[in-house]
Amino acid sequence: MKRVLPAMLFVVLLFGIIVVPVLAKSDSLGPPDIAQKIFIHRAKPDNPGKGKPGGEEGFYKLLGAKWKSFPVHMEVNPANPSGLGETFVLTTIGTAAEEWDDGAYSGWGGVPVDLFDNTITITIKGYDDLAWTSDKLDGKNTIVWGNYPTSGVIAVTIVWYNTKTKTILEFDMVLDTDYAWGDSTTMASVMDLQNIVTHELGHGAGLDDLYQDPAYQETMYGYSDLGEIVKRNLYTGDKAGITKLYG
């Protein structure tokens, strides 16, 4: 049975029933200067929206907040139903982080700051420990596998930030157990861990989703599918966006 997120409302959209979690207005949202944004990464639909065209710098969209102190440290619970070993999980997530940081995977050069910490801590936290509400904020950037309550969702990243200082305070990420995970270069039928985590860490760094068709090559394009690896490499707009934030 799927979990039900705490303190959430459910919205029914047109053109089919799509359940989107929205935090209810309550004291659980925390101080007035603290805001939350939940990014929901879905499987690609048959007809994604057209959106607005991009410029010469490609496509990117900023959250409106960024990190002010570096490096950003992460903790990961490597336990997963796909049987991926701890070493593979930590190495793959580290590679995804360093693509934004120093361009280690594609060799694009990266940003001047040491954005993500090279060391990842192992945690035993689970889905319910993530900062779905402000009382769960703990200053840790946590990545876990979990059973998200909506079908067709690959991953979710929760970002908390200070609206006055425009500073990111914390991000948490859940990789949905509805999918088999692994390395799609050796098994095309799985959700590629590096591909998806690279995208999600873009949210953790301060980038928003893109949904227009021409942006399909960007890492921050909001849809993915089994066997996809295109998001491993940052594209023109991804590089421009992260450089705008930390260049």
Side-chain angles (χ1 to χ4, degrees):
M1 179 179 291
K2 285 284 192 178
R3 300 173 188 264
V4 176
L5 295 179
M8 297 268 178
L9 299 176
F10 293 98
V11 179
V12 178
L13 303 182
L14 297 176
F15 310 111
I17 299 177
I18 302 175
V19 184
V20 180
V22 180
L23 281 175
K25 292 182 178 180
S26 69
D27 292 339
S28 66
L29 290 178
D33 293 336
I34 305 303
Q36 179 204 57
K37 185 160 186 178
I38 299 179
F39 297 94
I40 302 174
H41 194 159
R42 293 182 173 84
K44 187 175 180 180
D46 292 334
N47 296 299
K50 297 296 183 182
K52 297 180 181 179
E56 292 181 0
E57 291 186 329
F59 300 81
Y60 70 86
K61 183 179 179 182
L62 305 181
L63 168 64
K66 64 180 183 178
W67 291 97
K68 301 293 179 66
S69 59
F70 312 99
V72 176
H73 186 71
M74 295 182 292
E75 60 178 17
V76 175
N77 184 340
N80 64 89
S82 296
L84 305 178
E86 180 180 297
T87 299
F88 173 82
V89 170
L90 296 180
T91 300
T92 301
I93 291 175
T95 301
E98 290 307 304
E99 175 65 2
W100 291 105
D101 194 324
D102 60 15
Y105 180 72
S106 67
W108 76 276
V111 292
V113 300
D114 184 13
L115 182 54
F116 288 107
D117 198 334
N118 292 330
T119 301
I120 298 174
T121 300
I122 294 177
T123 182
I124 60 171
K125 289 179 185 175
Y127 181 97
D128 292 331
D129 299 310
L130 303 185
W132 301 107
T133 51
S134 64
D135 58 302
K136 295 293 184 71
L137 281 166
D138 60 3
K140 308 290 185 182
N141 306 303
T142 308
I143 302 174
V144 305
W145 268 269
N147 193 8
Y148 191 73
T150 305
S151 62
V153 173
I154 300 166
V156 175
T157 296
I158 311 160
V159 179
W160 288 88
Y161 59 99
N162 187 302
T163 58
K164 182 175 290 186
T165 64
K166 309 298 183 184
T167 304
I168 296 176
L169 305 174
E170 176 179 330
F171 70 84
D172 290 334
M173 183 191 310
V174 58
L175 306 170
D176 202 291
T177 54
D178 284 349
Y179 296 92
W181 292 81
D183 179 353
S184 290
T185 64
T186 61
M187 186 180 297
S189 61
V190 299
M191 197 63 69
D192 189 78
L193 180 61
Q194 184 178 336
N195 186 72
I196 300 302
V197 172
T198 304
H199 172 94
E200 297 304 321
L201 288 178
H203 294 316
L207 293 172
D208 210 327
D209 279 316
L210 303 167
Y211 290 106
Q212 51 266 56
D213 282 349
Y216 74 95
Q217 290 177 287
E218 305 284 6
T219 295
M220 295 315 297
Y221 185 60
Y223 301 116
S224 294
D225 208 345
L226 296 168
E228 180 192 277
I229 60 172
V230 68
K231 290 181 174 62
R232 289 183 174 192
N233 289 22
L234 300 193
Y235 198 61
T236 306
D238 304 310
K239 297 172 188 176
I242 200 69
T243 301
K244 178 79 171 178
L245 289 171
Y246 302 107

